[in-house]
Amino acid sequence: MDEKEKERKFEEIIQQYSTVLHATARRELYVNGATYDWSRAEEAVQEALAIAWTKRDEVLASKNIPGWLVNTLRYVLKNMARQDQQWKKQIMLTQKDLDPTLIQPPPGADLELEGLVSAEEYTLLRQVYVERIPYEELCQTYGIKKSALAMRVKRAKGRFREAYLESEKIFSDLSEQTGSARHNTSRGGPKR
């Protein structure tokens, strides 16, 4: 089968099973209590289809194409839930003054997440991962399209990750230096 034929066959598969995939994603998100935001279901379906596209030879050779697609979608949904939990935990851990039982942070807690991200980026990440405000509502609030909002979230997460990892590296380097200095002085001073 040549590439054009594979593309045509894959487009047929998308048309045939996209409704089933969307319904499955919505049901899984609803049942697991992750979100009522159907744009997250769309995001999961798009990711599953992107994976299917990269493995199109495997998909086209499968005897159970809908099963392959649904299983891939379920793995994507599990990864999304895991990532959401990790982001929520990181935000909560780095914002020490924030009580996890509160949705609204205490006064002053929104000041730049200990210098890791800007106040605007922190607010956006908190709205998406802690408060679980649906993308549609945030799009209206910010006056932007869903794709632009998704890109803002992705970039804010990237900056947060880079800054967080850098601060962790600096902290561990300082700990090592302090630990080795203590180790050297405990044996009668630095080694020569």
Side-chain angles (χ1 to χ4, degrees):
M1 192 179 319
D2 68 344
E3 277 303 308
K4 283 286 189 194
E5 182 65 23
K6 287 179 186 177
E7 283 182 32
R8 188 189 61 72
K9 189 78 170 155
F10 195 80
E11 285 177 19
E12 287 176 8
I13 290 170
I14 291 172
Q15 289 174 355
Q16 185 175 1
Y17 298 113
S18 67
T19 304
V20 171
L21 292 173
H22 281 89
T24 301
R26 288 183 185 128
R27 183 180 62 248
E28 294 282 329
L29 288 170
Y30 179 76
V31 168
N32 294 327
T35 184
Y36 297 103
D37 181 7
W38 300 136
S39 65
R40 296 286 285 166
E42 174 67 26
E43 185 180 336
V45 170
Q46 292 300 319
E47 175 123 2
L49 290 174
I51 292 168
W53 175 252
T54 60
K55 297 182 177 190
R56 62 188 168 273
D57 292 333
E58 187 180 325
V59 174
L60 294 172
S62 174
K63 293 182 180 181
N64 185 5
I65 292 174
W68 196 101
L69 293 171
V70 169
N71 284 337
T72 301
L73 176 63
R74 286 190 174 134
Y75 288 122
V76 167
L77 289 166
K78 285 179 185 177
N79 285 337
M80 286 173 66
R82 194 175 304 119
Q83 287 175 341
D84 287 354
Q85 286 300 320
Q86 288 172 345
W87 278 106
K88 184 176 180 179
K89 184 178 176 182
Q90 280 186 323
I91 289 171
M92 297 305 254
L93 287 175
T94 50
Q95 193 60 42
K96 294 176 182 113
D97 296 332
L98 183 60
D99 180 352
T101 61
L102 299 174
I103 289 180
Q104 294 299 319
D110 277 342
L111 300 173
E112 296 195 34
L113 203 62
E114 297 181 14
L116 296 179
V117 293
S118 70
E120 295 82 16
E121 288 174 330
Y122 168 71
T123 300
L124 179 61
L125 291 174
R126 185 175 47 97
Q127 289 172 328
V128 171
Y129 293 106
V130 177
E131 297 175 27
R132 297 203 167 282
I133 298 174
Y135 268 41
E136 285 85 9
E137 190 176 323
L138 290 172
C139 288
Q140 290 174 351
T141 301
Y142 290 104
I144 56 176
K145 293 182 179 181
K146 203 182 320 181
S147 60
L149 179 65
M151 185 54 69
R152 277 190 191 179
V153 170
K154 180 180 178 180
R155 288 178 179 157
K157 283 173 28 178
R159 280 190 279 278
F160 178 88
R161 181 182 296 119
E162 287 174 16
Y164 184 77
L165 292 175
E166 182 63 29
S167 70
E168 287 295 307
K169 182 181 180 309
I170 291 169
F171 180 73
S172 68
D173 289 348
L174 288 173
S175 296
E176 287 174 12
Q177 290 172 0
T178 306
S180 64
R182 267 189 261 136
H183 179 70
N184 289 339
T185 56
S186 67
R187 295 185 177 221
K191 294 182 180 177
R192 295 178 195 237

